Amino acid sequence: MEQKFGVNSIDLQELYDFCDREGEIVVYQKGERMECEGEPSRWFGFVIKGCFKYVTRGISDGKEHITWFSFEGEYVGDYPSCLNDRPSQTTIEAMMPSSVLRVSGEQLMRLFNQNTKAMQLRCIIGEHLLCQARARYLDFHRATPRERYDLLLRRCPGIVEHLPLHAIASFLNLTPQQLSRIRRAVTFED
């Protein structure tokens, strides 16, 4: 489970082994969707190759907003929704040709219901997601746009070589022009 873009802070080997044993490899072409916002969420998996963006649409303007990424070696899916048979809260789309080792939410629930150790893994993943979401929320309040860019580069060092400027800008809640100014300032500081 090499992580090409980011660094995961929890050990997911047990969950990866389950997906490897019980799942299937599914290939997504650039732009192909793993999940669609508002439709039943069904899948969970590990990105073997490529990356995915998590997209939601603005309520009034319908504009695309990127809220998250899943990179090689990380899990991908609307985790809480696929476990609880709810509609996906986001669209998950391949940003390049990508492969996923995929299981269904039903398969995952069967794993978690097997024993206490598996249920603890479910709790660890849930807590990890909560910590990630909280950190992102706090970053929007406590960090300047430049600081958010710096934080993203520390968390995902390879991101700027692999994703378009507009995708990174959307994730940081900036315009592409704002991000260009920040990147230019960073370049001239070095």
PDB file of all heavy atoms in Angstrom, residues 107-124:
ATOM      1  N   GLN A 107     -20.580  -5.892   2.732  1.00  0.00           N
ATOM      2  CA  GLN A 107     -19.432  -6.739   3.083  1.00  0.00           C
ATOM      3  C   GLN A 107     -18.676  -6.153   4.271  1.00  0.00           C
ATOM      4  O   GLN A 107     -18.270  -6.872   5.181  1.00  0.00           O
ATOM      5  CB  GLN A 107     -18.471  -6.863   1.885  1.00  0.00           C
ATOM      6  CG  GLN A 107     -18.968  -7.724   0.759  1.00  0.00           C
ATOM      7  CD  GLN A 107     -18.036  -7.645  -0.431  1.00  0.00           C
ATOM      8  OE1 GLN A 107     -17.956  -6.617  -1.095  1.00  0.00           O
ATOM      9  NE2 GLN A 107     -17.331  -8.741  -0.694  1.00  0.00           N
ATOM     10  N   LEU A 108     -18.510  -4.856   4.258  1.00  0.00           N
ATOM     11  CA  LEU A 108     -17.802  -4.176   5.343  1.00  0.00           C
ATOM     12  C   LEU A 108     -18.545  -4.334   6.666  1.00  0.00           C
ATOM     13  O   LEU A 108     -17.934  -4.618   7.702  1.00  0.00           O
ATOM     14  CB  LEU A 108     -17.660  -2.693   4.984  1.00  0.00           C
ATOM     15  CG  LEU A 108     -16.462  -1.930   5.454  1.00  0.00           C
ATOM     16  CD1 LEU A 108     -15.166  -2.665   5.206  1.00  0.00           C
ATOM     17  CD2 LEU A 108     -16.431  -0.556   4.797  1.00  0.00           C
ATOM     18  N   MET A 109     -19.857  -4.192   6.642  1.00  0.00           N
ATOM     19  CA  MET A 109     -20.643  -4.362   7.869  1.00  0.00           C
ATOM     20  C   MET A 109     -20.549  -5.788   8.394  1.00  0.00           C
ATOM     21  O   MET A 109     -20.476  -5.997   9.614  1.00  0.00           O
ATOM     22  CB  MET A 109     -22.110  -3.980   7.636  1.00  0.00           C
ATOM     23  CG  MET A 109     -22.349  -2.478   7.646  1.00  0.00           C
ATOM     24  SD  MET A 109     -21.795  -1.656   9.152  1.00  0.00           S
ATOM     25  CE  MET A 109     -22.964  -2.279  10.340  1.00  0.00           C
ATOM     26  N   ARG A 110     -20.530  -6.764   7.500  1.00  0.00           N
ATOM     27  CA  ARG A 110     -20.369  -8.153   7.959  1.00  0.00           C
ATOM     28  C   ARG A 110     -19.029  -8.321   8.676  1.00  0.00           C
ATOM     29  O   ARG A 110     -18.950  -8.986   9.702  1.00  0.00           O
ATOM     30  CB  ARG A 110     -20.490  -9.130   6.783  1.00  0.00           C
ATOM     31  CG  ARG A 110     -21.921  -9.386   6.364  1.00  0.00           C
ATOM     32  CD  ARG A 110     -22.067 -10.613   5.472  1.00  0.00           C
ATOM     33  NE  ARG A 110     -21.356 -10.524   4.210  1.00  0.00           N
ATOM     34  CZ  ARG A 110     -21.855  -9.985   3.098  1.00  0.00           C
ATOM     35  NH1 ARG A 110     -23.074  -9.484   3.103  1.00  0.00           N
ATOM     36  NH2 ARG A 110     -21.145  -9.957   1.983  1.00  0.00           N
ATOM     37  N   LEU A 111     -17.975  -7.708   8.123  1.00  0.00           N
ATOM     38  CA  LEU A 111     -16.677  -7.759   8.796  1.00  0.00           C
ATOM     39  C   LEU A 111     -16.761  -7.140  10.184  1.00  0.00           C
ATOM     40  O   LEU A 111     -16.328  -7.744  11.171  1.00  0.00           O
ATOM     41  CB  LEU A 111     -15.603  -7.017   7.967  1.00  0.00           C
ATOM     42  CG  LEU A 111     -14.279  -6.744   8.705  1.00  0.00           C
ATOM     43  CD1 LEU A 111     -13.498  -8.043   8.903  1.00  0.00           C
ATOM     44  CD2 LEU A 111     -13.449  -5.720   7.959  1.00  0.00           C
ATOM     45  N   PHE A 112     -17.311  -5.933  10.277  1.00  0.00           N
ATOM     46  CA  PHE A 112     -17.348  -5.220  11.550  1.00  0.00           C
ATOM     47  C   PHE A 112     -18.213  -5.923  12.587  1.00  0.00           C
ATOM     48  O   PHE A 112     -17.990  -5.780  13.789  1.00  0.00           O
ATOM     49  CB  PHE A 112     -17.839  -3.786  11.353  1.00  0.00           C
ATOM     50  CG  PHE A 112     -16.888  -2.926  10.567  1.00  0.00           C
ATOM     51  CD1 PHE A 112     -17.361  -1.935   9.738  1.00  0.00           C
ATOM     52  CD2 PHE A 112     -15.514  -3.104  10.652  1.00  0.00           C
ATOM     53  CE1 PHE A 112     -16.492  -1.121   9.026  1.00  0.00           C
ATOM     54  CE2 PHE A 112     -14.629  -2.299   9.937  1.00  0.00           C
ATOM     55  CZ  PHE A 112     -15.127  -1.307   9.121  1.00  0.00           C
ATOM     56  N   ASN A 113     -19.193  -6.697  12.147  1.00  0.00           N
ATOM     57  CA  ASN A 113     -20.076  -7.406  13.078  1.00  0.00           C
ATOM     58  C   ASN A 113     -19.525  -8.757  13.528  1.00  0.00           C
ATOM     59  O   ASN A 113     -20.139  -9.433  14.354  1.00  0.00           O
ATOM     60  CB  ASN A 113     -21.463  -7.596  12.454  1.00  0.00           C
ATOM     61  CG  ASN A 113     -22.221  -6.283  12.381  1.00  0.00           C
ATOM     62  OD1 ASN A 113     -22.081  -5.414  13.238  1.00  0.00           O
ATOM     63  ND2 ASN A 113     -23.018  -6.126  11.347  1.00  0.00           N
ATOM     64  N   GLN A 114     -18.345  -9.141  13.033  1.00  0.00           N
ATOM     65  CA  GLN A 114     -17.782 -10.444  13.374  1.00  0.00           C
ATOM     66  C   GLN A 114     -17.278 -10.526  14.809  1.00  0.00           C
ATOM     67  O   GLN A 114     -17.491 -11.528  15.483  1.00  0.00           O
ATOM     68  CB  GLN A 114     -16.634 -10.802  12.427  1.00  0.00           C
ATOM     69  CG  GLN A 114     -17.094 -11.219  11.064  1.00  0.00           C
ATOM     70  CD  GLN A 114     -15.922 -11.539  10.149  1.00  0.00           C
ATOM     71  OE1 GLN A 114     -14.764 -11.487  10.552  1.00  0.00           O
ATOM     72  NE2 GLN A 114     -16.229 -11.894   8.918  1.00  0.00           N
ATOM     73  N   ASN A 115     -16.588  -9.482  15.264  1.00  0.00           N
ATOM     74  CA  ASN A 115     -16.002  -9.553  16.603  1.00  0.00           C
ATOM     75  C   ASN A 115     -15.628  -8.161  17.113  1.00  0.00           C
ATOM     76  O   ASN A 115     -15.728  -7.174  16.373  1.00  0.00           O
ATOM     77  CB  ASN A 115     -14.758 -10.479  16.599  1.00  0.00           C
ATOM     78  CG  ASN A 115     -13.716 -10.041  15.592  1.00  0.00           C
ATOM     79  OD1 ASN A 115     -13.336  -8.877  15.537  1.00  0.00           O
ATOM     80  ND2 ASN A 115     -13.254 -10.979  14.781  1.00  0.00           N
ATOM     81  N   THR A 116     -15.208  -8.106  18.338  1.00  0.00           N
ATOM     82  CA  THR A 116     -14.877  -6.835  18.982  1.00  0.00           C
ATOM     83  C   THR A 116     -13.697  -6.147  18.307  1.00  0.00           C
ATOM     84  O   THR A 116     -13.702  -4.927  18.127  1.00  0.00           O
ATOM     85  CB  THR A 116     -14.556  -7.065  20.480  1.00  0.00           C
ATOM     86  OG1 THR A 116     -15.665  -7.731  21.078  1.00  0.00           O
ATOM     87  CG2 THR A 116     -14.298  -5.753  21.184  1.00  0.00           C
ATOM     88  N   LYS A 117     -12.697  -6.912  17.904  1.00  0.00           N
ATOM     89  CA  LYS A 117     -11.526  -6.321  17.260  1.00  0.00           C
ATOM     90  C   LYS A 117     -11.926  -5.622  15.958  1.00  0.00           C
ATOM     91  O   LYS A 117     -11.454  -4.511  15.667  1.00  0.00           O
ATOM     92  CB  LYS A 117     -10.475  -7.390  16.980  1.00  0.00           C
ATOM     93  CG  LYS A 117      -9.204  -6.846  16.390  1.00  0.00           C
ATOM     94  CD  LYS A 117      -8.174  -7.938  16.161  1.00  0.00           C
ATOM     95  CE  LYS A 117      -6.931  -7.351  15.522  1.00  0.00           C
ATOM     96  NZ  LYS A 117      -6.015  -8.354  15.063  1.00  0.00           N
ATOM     97  N   ALA A 118     -12.789  -6.239  15.179  1.00  0.00           N
ATOM     98  CA  ALA A 118     -13.251  -5.630  13.933  1.00  0.00           C
ATOM     99  C   ALA A 118     -14.079  -4.377  14.223  1.00  0.00           C
ATOM    100  O   ALA A 118     -13.962  -3.369  13.523  1.00  0.00           O
ATOM    101  CB  ALA A 118     -14.058  -6.637  13.116  1.00  0.00           C
ATOM    102  N   MET A 119     -14.895  -4.421  15.275  1.00  0.00           N
ATOM    103  CA  MET A 119     -15.691  -3.248  15.653  1.00  0.00           C
ATOM    104  C   MET A 119     -14.780  -2.109  16.117  1.00  0.00           C
ATOM    105  O   MET A 119     -15.056  -0.937  15.852  1.00  0.00           O
ATOM    106  CB  MET A 119     -16.703  -3.609  16.738  1.00  0.00           C
ATOM    107  CG  MET A 119     -17.682  -2.485  17.049  1.00  0.00           C
ATOM    108  SD  MET A 119     -18.596  -1.857  15.628  1.00  0.00           S
ATOM    109  CE  MET A 119     -19.797  -3.131  15.407  1.00  0.00           C
ATOM    110  N   GLN A 120     -13.678  -2.434  16.781  1.00  0.00           N
ATOM    111  CA  GLN A 120     -12.712  -1.401  17.179  1.00  0.00           C
ATOM    112  C   GLN A 120     -12.110  -0.733  15.950  1.00  0.00           C
ATOM    113  O   GLN A 120     -11.901   0.486  15.937  1.00  0.00           O
ATOM    114  CB  GLN A 120     -11.610  -2.002  18.048  1.00  0.00           C
ATOM    115  CG  GLN A 120     -12.080  -2.356  19.436  1.00  0.00           C
ATOM    116  CD  GLN A 120     -11.024  -3.141  20.217  1.00  0.00           C
ATOM    117  OE1 GLN A 120     -10.136  -3.766  19.649  1.00  0.00           O
ATOM    118  NE2 GLN A 120     -11.154  -3.114  21.534  1.00  0.00           N
ATOM    119  N   LEU A 121     -11.841  -1.509  14.908  1.00  0.00           N
ATOM    120  CA  LEU A 121     -11.322  -0.953  13.664  1.00  0.00           C
ATOM    121  C   LEU A 121     -12.325   0.037  13.079  1.00  0.00           C
ATOM    122  O   LEU A 121     -11.954   1.122  12.628  1.00  0.00           O
ATOM    123  CB  LEU A 121     -11.014  -2.063  12.663  1.00  0.00           C
ATOM    124  CG  LEU A 121     -10.515  -1.634  11.288  1.00  0.00           C
ATOM    125  CD1 LEU A 121      -9.196  -0.865  11.397  1.00  0.00           C
ATOM    126  CD2 LEU A 121     -10.350  -2.856  10.390  1.00  0.00           C
ATOM    127  N   ARG A 122     -13.607  -0.316  13.118  1.00  0.00           N
ATOM    128  CA  ARG A 122     -14.649   0.601  12.635  1.00  0.00           C
ATOM    129  C   ARG A 122     -14.604   1.906  13.410  1.00  0.00           C
ATOM    130  O   ARG A 122     -14.688   2.990  12.821  1.00  0.00           O
ATOM    131  CB  ARG A 122     -16.021  -0.052  12.777  1.00  0.00           C
ATOM    132  CG  ARG A 122     -17.140   0.833  12.313  1.00  0.00           C
ATOM    133  CD  ARG A 122     -18.494   0.206  12.485  1.00  0.00           C
ATOM    134  NE  ARG A 122     -19.518   1.124  11.998  1.00  0.00           N
ATOM    135  CZ  ARG A 122     -20.798   0.894  12.073  1.00  0.00           C
ATOM    136  NH1 ARG A 122     -21.229  -0.250  12.592  1.00  0.00           N
ATOM    137  NH2 ARG A 122     -21.660   1.760  11.625  1.00  0.00           N
ATOM    138  N   CYS A 123     -14.446   1.819  14.698  1.00  0.00           N
ATOM    139  CA  CYS A 123     -14.381   3.021  15.537  1.00  0.00           C
ATOM    140  C   CYS A 123     -13.142   3.858  15.223  1.00  0.00           C
ATOM    141  O   CYS A 123     -13.218   5.086  15.151  1.00  0.00           O
ATOM    142  CB  CYS A 123     -14.389   2.643  17.016  1.00  0.00           C
ATOM    143  SG  CYS A 123     -15.928   1.903  17.561  1.00  0.00           S
ATOM    144  N   ILE A 124     -12.014   3.208  15.017  1.00  0.00           N
ATOM    145  CA  ILE A 124     -10.765   3.919  14.705  1.00  0.00           C
ATOM    146  C   ILE A 124     -10.912   4.688  13.396  1.00  0.00           C
ATOM    147  O   ILE A 124     -10.508   5.852  13.285  1.00  0.00           O
ATOM    148  CB  ILE A 124      -9.575   2.936  14.646  1.00  0.00           C
ATOM    149  CG1 ILE A 124      -9.248   2.444  16.063  1.00  0.00           C
ATOM    150  CG2 ILE A 124      -8.355   3.576  13.986  1.00  0.00           C
ATOM    151  CD1 ILE A 124      -8.303   1.258  16.092  1.00  0.00           C
TER     152      ILE A 124
END
